Structure formats: C-alpha cells, structure tokens
C-alpha cells in the first residue's frame, strides 16, 4: 500500500557507539564492531523471545501456527511499530486478538537521512555518509527509536499474534528505497543492483533479524512492501529477491521469508492490461520458483489499478491457480475498497472461502481503532473495530476462515 530529533542515537561506527545530543543514554558500551551494533547495552529493554513456542511454518498448501494447520485471516497495522504510546499498541493488539486474527503486518522499517526535526516521529535508522563513518546508524531513543519496534514485537508475543515484518518500502513514506539512494546514490531502479545500497540494506537486515529471531511472534521476514522496478526486466527483481531471501535464510533458517509484492503477471498471462503488462518489473509466475521464499504474496486494489471491483474475484482465482500449479502457498496480503466496503469486498472473501485452495490466509488493508493517544495513522481504506463493516469483513470472516476445511488429496496426503 502506498501511503501518502534530539535524543540518543546509538551508532556502531568503529570506536564510536553512541552519539548523544541532549539526553543521557543507557547504551554506552564502547565497541569496535561495524554497523549494526550488538553491544549488550543496546539490547531490547522489553522481553523478546520469552514465550518459547514453535515458529510458524508452511505445511503443505497451508500454514501451521502453534501446532494448528489450517486457514485463517489477518490484517495490516503498518503503524503499530510507529506508535509512541505502549497503551496504543496494547489496545490494537488486544482487539486484533479478540477478532481471532492470527497475523498482522507491521512495518519493520523507518529510515531518515537526517535526525533533525524528527523528534515527533518514530524512525529506526539514519542513512547519511556525512553523519557516520559507515553511513548508517540505529536510533535507540526510547521515545521514537527502535525500542518502539521492540515493544510491538514483545506485546505481540503476549497477545499471541504473529507479525509479518517488511524491512523496506518501495514508496517514500517512512523512508525506504528513496532514503538509501539519497544516502548512497542511484535511483528507484538501480537500487536493486547498486552495491552500496545493497550492502547498507543487508546491514539493516542483519540488525533486525539478529535482534528478533528468537521471537516466535515473527511470522515472516518480508523483503519489501510492494517492490517495483519500472522498465526493468523481470530478472532484476527475481535475482534481487533470490539474493536477499537467501541472505536472510543464512541468518535465520527457522523463520519464513516472503517477498511482499503485488502479484503482477507478465505476458502471455492475462489480457495485457496494467496488472498483466509487466510494466512494474515483477513477474509473479517467475517468483514462484524462488526456493528461499517460503510463500508468495499478492495484493488487490481495483480502484487504484483501473479495474472494476468485480474483477477482484478473477484476480484471486488466477493467483490461486498459479500457486496450486506450482505447489506453493499464497497469501492475499492486502486488499481494500475505499467505499461500499461490504458490497465490494465480501465477494472477494467469499471467493477465497469457496473457490480457492492455496490461499492460506488473507489480510485486509487496514485495521483501525480509536487510539487512546489520539494518534490517527488511518486512511480511507480503514475498517474500524466494532463497526458494522468490521463485524462482516473482519469478525465473521475470521471465523469463517478458521472453519474452512482443507481438502486432503487421497493419493498423497498433501493438503490442497
């Protein structure tokens, strides 16, 4: 989905670990390590990985969560890691858990090129070669830095919710590709092959994965929110996804990895219109063959892409068929309508319930609630907790997905 400073910054840059501009810090251990810093004093101050349990995994054409294999529903709360009040995080997760959602998707990125003027914003990483020898460092400020993501993951453990954690954004909101290219050169297409950008991104991946890989609340590490490479051959994204997913697996082989793409088709699939044109440089069929991705994703925004809402069911069934043919698990990771939500979105949910086998879960964009702090990170697609739309599209659908029965193939016992 495209979405329209003073403090302590703990930077592991050779012999300098912490940059202090106003406040004292508990992260003062000297270090000679390169970014990212793993000094004990910079560890999370909330429990991470304290509720041991099995990690979510693929089981046939479904997922197994906490010992249960089956279908389920989830949602998106990109903002959960960017809330500055613990009470807001707890409220949202308690309501998500009460809905019987199993998974929510939360931004694991927050990049800026300068900390100046960022006091009221949460950000995790500064990318700027003039501010540190390595060109990047982590914001450890308890109010608006990585501790906010720490709390979201720790709280998810407590509420029994799994998190999909994208580590990069294709769009400009909260940094992303643009922040890397502003710091290290290049543009939105060269990023995927630029050595400096990729080294910096892998540094950040290593930091995040090492920090949270003990947590069973991590459902999957996700390479990027809606990666695109306009005008590029599809091999650019496929090769990048293969490299990055393999790198993550080298750091953590026990959690799943996903791409986070919108599921674009390339000719000769489809009718050649936008979603089937290959214009965005992503080939869903080709990416089904990446072995270091555990499952594949697709999104659905007919109003943004120039299609009727009724087309959505066709899009869903096309992806289910492709995943079934490849023997892969699929997730409808984002879907939304700006108005007439039940009329436009319920038919898609019914298609998933009645006409698909390999779409193991779906998650609408996006969950909303009345946050106690007054924070308002919501948009026109938001479905608010306990509204009439929520009852149908969230609560009732979540129960229906949990009750959906997998049909076992009598020949080999594999779920379909």
């Amino acid at each position: 989905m495209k979405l329209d400073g003073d403090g302590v910054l703990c930077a592991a840059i050779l012999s300098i670990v912490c940059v202090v501009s106003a406040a004292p810090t508990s992260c003062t251990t000297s270090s000679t390590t390169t970014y990212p810093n793993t000094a004990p004093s910079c560890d999370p101050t909330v429990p991470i990985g304290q509720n041991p349990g099995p990690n979510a995994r693929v089981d046939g054409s479904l997922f197994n969560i906490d010992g249960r294999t089956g279908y389920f529903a989830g949602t998106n709360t990109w903002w959960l890691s960017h809330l500055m009040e613990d009470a807001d995080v707890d409220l949202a997760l308690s309501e998500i858990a009460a809905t019987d959602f199993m998974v929510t998707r939360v931004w694991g990125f927050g990049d800026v090129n300068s900390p100046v003027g960022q006091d009221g914003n949460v950000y995790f990483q500064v990318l700027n070669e003039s501010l540190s020898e390595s060109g990047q460092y982590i914001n450890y400020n308890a109010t608006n830095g990585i501790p906010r993501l720490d709390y979201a993951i720790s709280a998810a453990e407590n509420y029994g919710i799994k998190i999909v954690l994208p580590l990069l954004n294709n769009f400009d909101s909260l940094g992303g590709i643009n922040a890397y290219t502003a710091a290290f050169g290049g543009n939105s297409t060269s990023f995927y092959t630029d050595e400096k950008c990729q080294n910096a991104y892998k540094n950040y991946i290593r930091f995040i994965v090492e920090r949270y890989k003990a947590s069973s609340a991590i459902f999957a590490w996700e390479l990027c929110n809606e990666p695109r490479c306009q005008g590029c051959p599809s091999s650019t994204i496929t090769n990048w996804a293969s490299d990055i997913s393999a790198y993550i697996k080298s750091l953590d082989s026990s959690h799943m990895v996903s791409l986070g793409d919108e599921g674009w088709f390339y000719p000769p699939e489809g009718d050649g219109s936008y979603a089937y044109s290959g214009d965005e440089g992503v080939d869903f069929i080709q990416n089904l063959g990446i072995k270091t991705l555990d499952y594949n994703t697709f999104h659905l925004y007919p109003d943004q892409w120039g299609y009727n809402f009724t087309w959505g069911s066709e899009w869903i069934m096309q992806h289910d068929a492709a995943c079934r043919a490849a023997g892969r698990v699929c997730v409808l990771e984002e879907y939304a309508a700006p108005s007439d939500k039940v009329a436009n979105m319920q038919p898609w949910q019914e298609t998933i319930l009645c006409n698909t086998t390999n779409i193991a879960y779906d998650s609408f964009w996006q969950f909303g609630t009345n946050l106690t702090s007054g924070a308002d990170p919501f948009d026109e697609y938001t479905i608010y907790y306990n509204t009439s739309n929520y009852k149908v599209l969230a609560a009732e659908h979540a129960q229906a997905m949990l009750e959906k029965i997998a049909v076992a193939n009598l020949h080999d016992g594999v779920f379909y």
Side-chain angles (χ1 to χ4, degrees):
M1 179 65 189
K2 182 179 180 180
L3 302 172
D4 287 330
D6 288 349
V8 179
L9 302 172
C10 184
I13 46 174
L14 300 179
S15 61
I16 302 174
V17 177
C18 294
V19 178
V20 182
S21 60
T25 177
S26 61
C27 183
T28 55
T29 302
S30 62
S31 172
T32 59
T33 61
T34 57
Y35 177 96
N37 180 43
T38 55
S41 58
C42 292
D43 286 348
T45 57
V46 292
I48 301 289
Q50 299 301 304
N51 298 324
N55 293 332
R57 60 181 177 85
V58 170
D59 186 3
S61 62
L62 301 173
F63 295 110
N64 182 288
I65 295 182
D66 297 331
R68 176 192 179 273
T69 295
Y71 296 99
F72 57 89
T75 189
N76 284 268
T77 51
W78 71 263
W79 37 265
L80 197 72
S81 56
H82 286 257
L83 296 174
M84 300 180 79
E85 299 292 336
D86 292 353
D88 284 346
V89 176
D90 287 313
L91 174 64
L93 285 171
S94 67
E95 292 174 345
I96 288 169
T99 309
D100 285 329
F101 285 142
M102 305 295 288
V103 174
T104 189
R105 188 159 162 261
V106 178
W107 282 182
F109 56 81
D111 311 307
V112 298
N113 295 119
S114 171
V116 176
Q118 298 290 343
D119 290 0
N121 302 315
V122 173
Y123 64 98
F124 305 145
Q125 177 180 215
V126 178
L127 298 167
N128 191 319
E129 290 187 301
S130 69
L131 296 180
S132 76
E133 189 169 337
S134 66
Q136 58 188 142
Y137 60 90
I138 294 295
N139 175 16
Y140 281 91
N141 187 294
T143 301
N144 71 339
I146 203 69
R148 301 314 309 149
L149 181 55
D150 292 345
Y151 189 82
I153 290 174
S154 182
E157 291 181 4
N158 293 334
Y159 287 98
I161 300 298
K162 307 298 183 185
I163 289 179
V164 174
L165 201 67
L167 303 177
L168 179 72
N169 198 9
N170 173 62
F171 302 105
D172 291 352
S173 299
L174 305 176
I177 289 175
N178 67 306
Y180 283 88
T181 57
F184 305 112
N187 54 44
S188 61
T189 57
S190 67
F191 166 83
Y192 296 101
T193 55
D194 183 88
E195 184 177 3
K196 291 183 71 173
C197 286
Q198 290 308 301
N199 286 340
Y201 180 45
K202 285 182 177 179
N203 283 340
Y204 185 69
I205 289 172
R206 185 170 77 253
F207 169 77
I208 291 292
V209 171
E210 294 293 345
R211 193 170 183 86
Y212 302 124
K213 69 180 182 181
S215 178
S216 61
I218 299 297
F219 184 82
W221 312 111
E222 190 162 272
L223 274 55
C224 185
N225 172 53
E226 300 186 339
R228 298 178 179 181
C229 192
Q230 291 183 341
C232 303
S234 61
S235 58
T236 299
I237 291 288
T238 298
N239 291 341
W240 174 80
S242 299
D243 176 58
I244 297 297
S245 58
Y247 178 68
I248 294 174
K249 287 292 189 180
S250 76
L251 300 171
D252 175 20
S253 61
S254 67
H255 284 98
M256 294 187 290
V257 180
S258 62
L259 176 52
D261 63 305
E262 294 149 288
W264 307 117
F265 287 114
Y266 253 71
E269 304 293 333
D271 60 5
S273 61
Y274 173 61
Y276 307 92
S277 66
D279 287 350
E280 301 295 354
V282 181
D283 187 339
F284 181 79
I285 300 293
Q286 191 174 59
N287 294 335
L288 289 171
I290 300 175
K291 300 302 183 184
T292 42
L293 294 178
D294 292 276
Y295 63 92
N296 295 80
T297 62
F298 67 106
H299 298 181
L300 175 56
Y301 290 96
D303 62 308
Q304 294 185 18
W305 300 347
Y307 295 90
N308 295 324
F309 286 103
T310 54
W311 166 82
S313 289
E314 179 181 353
W315 183 247
I316 289 167
M317 289 189 290
Q318 288 169 337
H319 284 82
D320 182 66
C323 288
R324 189 167 60 252
R328 300 282 289 184
V329 188
C330 269
V331 172
L332 176 53
E333 190 175 60
E334 294 186 25
Y335 62 99
S339 60
D340 298 323
K341 297 182 189 300
V342 172
N344 288 322
M345 296 169 64
Q346 192 174 34
W348 305 340
Q349 293 182 339
E350 291 173 349
T351 296
I352 292 170
L353 284 164
C354 302
N355 300 110
T356 68
T357 57
N358 286 52
I359 298 176
Y361 88 86
D362 64 78
S363 51
F364 69 84
W365 183 281
Q366 64 168 327
F367 172 89
T369 190
N370 293 314
L371 298 170
T372 54
S373 68
D376 185 13
F378 308 119
D379 58 21
E380 61 183 337
Y381 297 109
T382 302
I383 301 176
Y384 289 90
Y385 184 70
N386 265 352
T387 60
S388 58
N389 284 340
Y390 194 90
K391 178 182 178 182
V392 174
L393 298 173
E396 292 180 2
H397 180 61
Q399 286 302 310
M401 286 294 283
L402 289 171
E403 294 168 4
K404 181 176 177 178
I405 304 299
V407 178
N409 183 310
L410 298 180
H411 296 289
D412 57 20
V414 176
F415 282 114
Y416 285 103

